[in-house]
Amino acid sequence: MHYNLLTIVPIENTNYVAFTFFIGCMAMLGASVFFFFEVSNTDKKWRTSILISGIITFIAAVHYYYMRDYYLATNLSPTFFRYVDWLLTVPLMCVEFYLITKKAGAKITLLWKLVAASVFMLITGYIGEAIYGNDPQSWIWGFISSIGYFYIVYLIWFGEVAKLANNAGTAVARANKTLGWFVLVGWAIYPIGYIAGTQGGLFGVNVFQGLSLDLVYNIGDAINKIGFGLVIYTLAQADKETTLV
Ligand SMILES: *C/C=C(C)/C=C/C=C(C)/C=C/C1=C(C)CCCC1(C)C
């Protein structure tokens, strides 16, 4: 199919999905500007973390710019670029967990465990969506993907990340708890999109029917990328106040 690059496709009033692509792009851009400027207003030890928060929302902003165009032009889910975005941003969120626990002795192997689990979760999810999306058995890939997801939840709530965060002082421990809620509840939004958007539903049962996969993913991304960055920002600010007294 051929698309004229110079044609502007307007967003219809009732096209909520396209609108969330648009507003998502703006929100990610705004958040990036905020995080980038706040780097210089942050204690040295937290600067890399704030910078990464900005890089996460910036990568998403660029992808949303493209995905909005793609969706408007084709009316299809931009599955490939959705997963390219996640493959870049989710491992960067793992880096954030590593950085906040590093001061309490986190080793690089912890980072690799988190990254490996997230890549496993995303690749198997992509296979389920892109290759088996129309197959009643696609839930199997969602199920396999969830193993990676629950391993990350385990590490953050009960495993190495939790233990190190608790040893790193109250500010880090509190931030890790909040980030843990983002991973447990905020990230659980994504499987809902997957269940809504693939034939296999939930273990073969079609629930969340009529719900747009893209709408769910767009809401999930706004909450998780911007909210997650703001938790890191709050931690950096709180830590500054306590150390300067
Ligand atoms: C910024 C993007 C983020 C935080 C994306 C997170 C994505 C997930 C937690 C996706 C999880 C999935 C499952 C747990 C099962 C079904 C397949 C996925 C990939 C949607």
Side-chain angles (χ1 to χ4, degrees):
M1 230 183 277
H2 173 258
Y3 301 105
N4 188 342
L5 288 175
L6 292 175
T7 306
I8 293 173
V9 184
I11 300 178
E12 306 270 347
N13 284 348
T14 50
N15 195 342
Y16 302 113
V17 179
F19 183 70
T20 57
F21 274 116
F22 178 83
I23 204 84
C25 181
M26 288 303 149
M28 298 288 183
L29 265 185
S32 308
V33 172
F34 175 76
F35 291 132
F36 288 150
F37 274 100
E38 285 296 321
V39 168
S40 57
N41 182 30
T42 301
D43 264 16
K44 255 209 172 81
K45 64 171 180 173
W46 291 115
R47 281 191 191 162
T48 313
S49 301
I50 301 298
L51 181 63
I52 292 176
S53 293
I55 294 173
I56 290 170
T57 50
F58 188 71
I59 290 174
V62 176
H63 281 81
Y64 268 76
Y65 186 76
Y66 179 82
M67 291 196 292
R68 183 207 45 138
D69 265 354
Y70 181 99
Y71 182 80
L72 276 172
T74 65
N75 226 358
L76 297 169
S77 291
T79 308
F80 182 73
F81 281 94
R82 172 81 71 189
Y83 276 86
V84 172
D85 173 336
W86 290 354
L87 265 174
L88 297 169
T89 52
V90 178
L92 281 173
M93 293 177 154
C94 297
V95 173
E96 298 275 41
F97 278 109
Y98 170 67
L99 287 178
I100 65 168
T101 49
K102 203 175 150 205
K103 285 147 204 114
K107 298 208 176 59
I108 195 79
T109 49
L110 172 62
L111 174 60
W112 293 132
K113 277 183 211 169
L114 287 165
V115 169
S118 66
V119 170
F120 174 84
M121 171 184 87
L122 294 172
I123 302 243
T124 48
Y126 180 74
I127 294 172
E129 227 175 282
I131 303 172
Y132 294 96
N134 295 323
D135 188 320
Q137 303 293 314
S138 63
W139 66 266
I140 293 171
W141 287 99
F143 181 78
I144 296 171
S145 168
S146 303
I147 297 169
Y149 169 66
F150 282 118
Y151 181 59
I152 298 173
V153 169
Y154 164 78
L155 284 176
I156 292 165
W157 277 88
F158 312 105
E160 263 176 270
V161 179
K163 284 175 195 137
L164 288 162
N166 289 337
N167 290 338
T170 34
V172 171
R174 203 181 306 145
N176 189 64
K177 256 273 143 54
T178 313
L179 294 175
W181 280 111
F182 269 92
V183 172
L184 185 65
V185 180
W187 288 21
I189 294 172
Y190 297 96
I192 295 175
Y194 182 92
I195 290 165
T198 57
Q199 271 297 308
L202 181 67
F203 303 118
V205 182
N206 253 321
V207 282
F208 304 125
Q209 253 184 343
L211 201 60
S212 155
L213 160 149
D214 285 300
L215 186 72
V216 175
Y217 286 169
N218 292 353
I219 291 169
D221 278 356
I223 293 172
N224 289 300
K225 290 182 165 66
I226 300 171
F228 196 95
L230 286 173
V231 175
I232 302 279
Y233 176 76
T234 309
L235 164 63
Q237 293 298 321
D239 207 29
K240 178 164 78 179
E241 280 155 29
T242 50
T243 48
L244 288 182
V245 171

